[in-house]
Amino acid sequence: MPQAAKEFFAFTAAQLEDRRRNPRDDYLTQLASGALGDRPLTDGEVGGILMSFFIGGHHSTTAAISALLHHIITESGVREALANDPGVLPKVIEESLRLSTPLAHFARTVLQDTEIEGCPVPAGSRILLNYVSANRDERRFADPDRFDLGRRPNPHVAFGFGGHLCIGRHLARAEMTTVATQLLTRLPDIETDGEVRFSGLIGGNLHRILEFPVRFTPENPNARQNRTADGK
Ligand code: HEM
């Protein structure tokens, strides 16, 4: 195990021990007394859960943020819509997640013999849930390749669905909201300055932008100071 991971698990174990001695109203206290069936979770298992937050929440969110900025800057009408009504941002975020789904697919093991659209799927099969394809399914989304701010509802599955629905989706949406709001406030004239380069699939799963040249007028430092002083 890499040294950093060892240190992380040791840190987690110390935190859990502290929560058992001094319980308080927080998530770690809940995890410290968590159970799997009729046995308590081990410190290693809790460390694994917390580690999955880092892994699940890192590349996915950075990919989603860069795709969002790309859509805001390049999709016709989106900047204007946001300038007229910042309340449109959640729709922009959902449509960006649908069209530029950061995590392409996850696998499942089939537990019992079944059939999907006439195709027999025996128990024990491995199947791939292709979220990119689902998010462009023309049976669910009219004109699926179009960035459409009027899409309602927008039942995309960029965060998965069912029992494994992304636990970090609210945080991810909050981060996307903050970055987009700051960008549009601080660099209002940002525009493209060259070709965007996409990654294709990294590690068989992640889609992201590798390069997106832009130009903008740097923010006046006094404006930033004033904003900081205002606490905004
Ligand atoms: C835009 C950003 C994100 C995207 C696109 C995304 C996408 C997903 C998807 C598709 C799944 C379902 C996996 C499956 O079907 O098996 C998932 C699960 C998960 N995500 Fe996210 N995620 C994002 C942000 C985050 C953040 C910020 C965190 C943590 C802070 C996080 C933590 C997790 C964890 C722990 C799971 C596993 C849940 C489970 O299996 O019960 N994700 N995510």
Side-chain angles (χ1 to χ4, degrees), residues 34 48 80 85 89 99 163 168 194 197 219 231:
E80 295 74 7
D85 176 10
L89 185 55
L99 266 183
R197 207 156 61 83
E219 186 189 33

Side-chain angles (χ1 to χ4, degrees), residues 99-165:
L99 266 183
S100 299
T101 306
L103 298 178
H105 42 235
F106 283 85
R108 295 287 188 273
T109 303
V110 177
L111 293 181
Q112 58 191 48
D113 290 347
T114 187
E115 199 181 284
I116 301 174
E117 305 217 344
C119 174
V121 185
S125 315
R126 296 282 284 160
I127 56 170
L128 207 61
L129 311 178
N130 188 332
Y131 296 148
V132 169
S133 173
N135 281 341
R136 291 181 186 237
D137 185 341
E138 59 283 353
R139 292 168 301 182
R140 297 297 293 242
F141 303 98
D143 202 356
D145 295 333
R146 195 162 75 86
F147 192 98
D148 180 0
L149 280 183
R151 215 173 274 290
R152 190 187 300 187
N154 187 348
H156 70 74
V157 287
F159 290 119
F161 62 95
H164 291 277
L165 178 65

Side-chain angles (χ1 to χ4, degrees), residues 2-229:
Q3 184 58 25
K6 280 187 197 151
E7 287 173 18
F8 174 75
F9 280 99
F11 173 79
T12 311
Q15 293 293 317
L16 291 171
E17 187 49 36
D18 176 49
R19 295 309 194 281
R20 287 184 195 111
R21 287 172 199 273
N22 311 299
R24 58 196 90 149
D25 183 19
D26 70 5
Y27 184 48
L28 272 183
T29 302
Q30 289 178 22
L31 284 178
S33 57
L36 190 62
D38 52 7
R39 69 160 179 83
L41 287 176
T42 65
D43 286 0
E45 286 166 342
V46 175
I49 292 173
L50 296 173
M51 183 72 88
S52 74
F53 291 174
F54 289 138
I55 297 169
H58 181 203
H59 294 300
S60 55
T61 314
T62 51
I65 287 172
S66 51
L68 172 67
L69 301 184
H70 181 249
H71 284 300
I72 288 178
I73 293 170
T74 59
E75 294 291 345
S76 125
V78 172
R79 292 279 275 277
E80 295 74 7
L82 284 167
N84 290 335
D85 176 10
V88 168
L89 185 55
K91 286 185 188 161
V92 179
I93 290 174
E94 298 312 311
E95 191 62 345
S96 175
L97 285 165
R98 184 186 72 81
L99 266 183
S100 299
T101 306
L103 298 178
H105 42 235
F106 283 85
R108 295 287 188 273
T109 303
V110 177
L111 293 181
Q112 58 191 48
D113 290 347
T114 187
E115 199 181 284
I116 301 174
E117 305 217 344
C119 174
V121 185
S125 315
R126 296 282 284 160
I127 56 170
L128 207 61
L129 311 178
N130 188 332
Y131 296 148
V132 169
S133 173
N135 281 341
R136 291 181 186 237
D137 185 341
E138 59 283 353
R139 292 168 301 182
R140 297 297 293 242
F141 303 98
D143 202 356
D145 295 333
R146 195 162 75 86
F147 192 98
D148 180 0
L149 280 183
R151 215 173 274 290
R152 190 187 300 187
N154 187 348
H156 70 74
V157 287
F159 290 119
F161 62 95
H164 291 277
L165 178 65
C166 177
I167 199 170
R169 62 196 184 283
H170 303 300
L171 175 61
R173 286 179 170 124
E175 290 179 48
M176 293 171 81
T177 303
T178 301
V179 174
T181 306
Q182 288 294 319
L183 181 99
L184 290 168
T185 311
R186 296 168 65 168
L187 309 177
D189 65 355
I190 190 165
E191 60 181 350
T192 52
D193 191 23
E195 285 296 302
V196 61
R197 207 156 61 83
F198 295 95
S199 65
L201 275 185
I202 301 175
N205 195 3
L206 178 77
H207 273 288
R208 64 177 308 182
I209 289 176
L210 289 180
E211 215 175 288
F212 178 32
V214 291
R215 64 169 165 248
F216 53 84
T217 310
E219 186 189 33
N220 176 349
N222 294 330
R224 188 166 59 229
Q225 262 171 15
N226 291 342
R227 237 200 332 274
T228 311

